[in-house]
Amino acid sequence: MPRIYGVMIAKNEADIIGQSLVNGLKHCEKTIVMDNMSTDGTWEIVQDLAARHPGRIIAHCRLDQKFHDSLRSIAYNAFHGELGRNDWWLRFDADEFLNEDPFPILAKAEAEGADFVRANQMEFALTDVDVATIERGEDSRDQPIETRRRHYRVTWREFRFFRNDPDVAWDPELAKQFPQTLSKAKVCSQAIFNRHYAHRDIEQLKTRIAARKGSLSFTHVADADWRGYVHAAATQHVWSPGAPVQYAPVRDFWLPRIKLELAQRLGLALKPA
């Protein structure tokens, strides 16, 4: 069975990072965490979990720079020599949880000679129902995130697993998102489902918008008012642990995303649907 190392860059995710790191213990032999100068106690939570799970959760370093994808090369270059060519890296964020066992899909990727596995992103939304619950004082961050946020859509895929190369360091000048030795032509035919809780409550959403609006790394964050990111629950799928995953209708999933990807390749400035 292959080994999986997780790599995470976090900033001000204290309300959820403990849950995501503990969930990552199910499949990651190690998770290497880099903190980008959090001010809300995120780094202290990571250090505490690293002490409680020595060798499994690694509080690797603190950064002080604008986020960019190539920052993950710092963790990769420090640990890739511990893994072989049949092992994998999982890039995941502090607000993400794999929704299924990754090992059968990694076995399929190995059989296909793939360098990447994509994730179907289950994008959980803050809905009008959630806002009403929060305003009644009935929502608590002490509850597991999967019981607090149930409404989502699957409208996007992202690369999440990538193959390890023990012999060649990741040169961030040559490749920003992944090591330069990998080929994006070699992608597993099967994708994994990944739960993403980007919008969790009103205060967290306000903080997220303030940190990202105007950044070149997050051009999709355009609305300064948190209410602009609240969805009608009736337009979303509902999920609970053990329930099947549903996609958005074709008109809301494949066609808009194909249009976006084509526009990006042509250098046109279009925002995601």
Side-chain angles (χ1 to χ4, degrees), residues 188-207:
C188 183
S189 61
Q190 184 177 348
I192 195 167
F193 284 102
N194 188 45
R195 291 184 278 124
H196 183 211
Y197 298 92
H199 301 164
R200 301 185 289 277
D201 56 46
I202 295 171
E203 291 308 312
Q204 177 268 335
L205 183 50
K206 289 179 179 178
T207 301

Side-chain angles (χ1 to χ4, degrees), residues 7-261:
V7 55
M8 177 188 291
I9 301 173
K11 182 169 184 176
N12 292 336
E13 302 278 11
D15 64 297
I16 198 169
I17 193 169
Q19 295 179 55
S20 64
L21 285 173
V22 169
N23 185 73
L25 291 171
K26 297 177 183 177
H27 38 261
C28 292
E29 184 172 305
K30 286 186 181 179
T31 298
I32 298 98
V33 185
M34 297 179 290
D35 178 75
N36 203 1
M37 300 308 294
S38 295
T39 57
D40 68 343
T42 293
W43 183 237
E44 288 74 19
I45 293 170
V46 173
Q47 290 179 307
D48 177 65
L49 285 170
R52 286 193 277 151
H53 302 279
R56 299 288 312 281
I57 295 174
I58 311 297
H60 185 54
C61 65
R62 302 199 79 183
L63 309 169
D64 187 8
Q65 53 187 292
K66 290 183 179 180
F67 171 82
H68 51 88
D69 282 311
S70 60
L71 289 176
R72 295 185 180 91
S73 65
I74 298 171
Y76 180 88
N77 289 337
F79 291 90
H80 75 116
E82 298 180 3
L83 298 174
R85 294 185 182 277
N86 296 327
D87 296 322
W88 294 84
W89 286 81
L90 168 63
R91 54 176 283 178
F92 73 114
D93 296 333
D95 54 6
E96 293 187 336
F97 300 69
L98 289 184
N99 199 54
E100 57 187 305
D101 179 359
F103 289 103
I105 296 176
L106 292 181
K108 187 176 185 66
E110 183 66 31
E112 295 176 353
D115 286 341
F116 293 97
V117 173
R118 288 184 289 195
N120 294 314
Q121 294 289 90
M122 298 171 65
E123 299 288 346
F124 282 80
L126 190 67
T127 70
D128 48 0
V129 172
D130 299 319
V131 170
T133 300
I134 292 168
E135 291 177 341
R136 291 196 303 269
E138 297 174 1
D139 184 71
S140 172
R141 289 182 173 182
D142 293 333
Q143 300 169 345
I145 191 63
E146 59 264 24
T147 66
R148 295 173 64 210
R149 301 293 164 255
R150 294 292 182 85
H151 297 88
Y152 76 97
R153 302 282 266 181
V154 181
T155 59
W156 191 240
R157 279 181 174 177
E158 292 185 0
F159 290 97
R160 276 296 175 265
F161 283 96
F162 60 96
R163 186 181 292 278
N164 185 69
D165 186 335
D167 300 323
V168 181
W170 176 349
D171 185 341
E173 296 300 319
L174 295 177
K176 301 299 182 183
Q177 294 185 320
F178 303 98
Q180 69 277 4
T181 56
L182 304 181
S183 170
K184 285 190 176 180
K186 298 179 180 179
V187 182
C188 183
S189 61
Q190 184 177 348
I192 195 167
F193 284 102
N194 188 45
R195 291 184 278 124
H196 183 211
Y197 298 92
H199 301 164
R200 301 185 289 277
D201 56 46
I202 295 171
E203 291 308 312
Q204 177 268 335
L205 183 50
K206 289 179 179 178
T207 301
R208 181 183 178 90
I209 294 168
R212 298 189 174 199
K213 190 173 185 301
S215 169
L216 294 177
S217 298
F218 302 101
T219 54
H220 57 286
V221 181
D223 197 335
D225 186 350
W226 67 270
R227 295 173 185 82
Y229 299 88
V230 176
H231 294 260
T235 66
Q236 307 291 301
H237 299 312
V238 180
W239 177 86
S240 58
V245 177
Q246 295 177 299
Y247 284 94
V250 170
R251 67 180 183 276
D252 295 333
F253 183 12
W254 299 111
L255 296 182
R257 294 304 172 175
I258 291 171
K259 180 180 177 181
L260 173 65
E261 290 186 354

